[in-house]
Amino acid sequence: MLDILVQDREGLTGPVKNVPIQVPTEDKITVRDLIVTRVRAELSDGNHDVAVSAASRLDQRSAEQHAIRSFTENGLFVIVDDMQLTELDQLVDLHAESLVEFLRIIPLKGG
């Protein structure tokens, strides 16, 4: 496994939250798998060894689907090493020094 630090941000000026995740040491990972890995890390509070109960798995699957839908509807941007990723099946070459950013877009109130 490869340890990577993901920077989460809401909007362009929101505070940055650094979240450690582990990705497979394979050369490349799809954007979809990167999003799912990030969601799982958030749900397990960064402890990747926590066993997930059946009820939690349903919540996890729902959270994964929500994050993927947000990405496809431009509510979530994924940026790796200053390059915006645009396709779920796009392959990403990650290394220990990669800068991975998840930028959640906040809709404007009233329109």
Side-chain angles (χ1 to χ4, degrees):
M1 297 298 273
L2 177 66
D3 293 322
I4 298 213
L5 192 63
V6 173
Q7 293 184 345
D8 279 355
R9 180 182 304 229
E10 287 195 28
L12 293 175
T13 59
V16 174
K17 177 182 173 187
N18 292 317
V19 180
I21 65 169
Q22 290 184 326
V23 295
T25 54
E26 302 163 355
D27 289 336
K28 297 184 186 251
I29 185 172
T30 65
V31 173
R32 178 188 319 272
D33 289 340
L34 183 59
I35 292 170
V36 167
T37 300
R38 171 63 193 92
V39 168
R40 289 177 181 170
E42 183 174 330
L43 292 177
S44 68
D45 260 345
N47 183 351
H48 300 284
D49 296 324
V50 172
V52 181
S53 69
S56 301
R57 280 192 206 113
L58 291 176
D59 292 340
Q60 176 180 322
R61 184 72 181 139
S62 176
E64 291 168 2
Q65 290 172 344
H66 177 74
I68 289 169
R69 187 172 48 253
S70 290
F71 177 83
T72 61
E73 295 174 356
N74 294 321
L76 171 68
F77 292 156
V78 178
I79 304 164
V80 175
D81 295 329
D82 296 324
M83 185 175 87
Q84 181 179 345
L85 306 175
T86 58
E87 302 293 327
L88 283 172
D89 294 325
Q90 185 173 353
L91 290 174
V92 183
D93 189 13
L94 294 176
H95 49 85
E97 296 81 28
S98 288
L99 175 59
V100 179
E101 301 170 89
F102 278 61
L103 176 62
R104 293 183 183 118
I105 304 304
I106 302 170
L108 296 173
K109 291 184 180 180

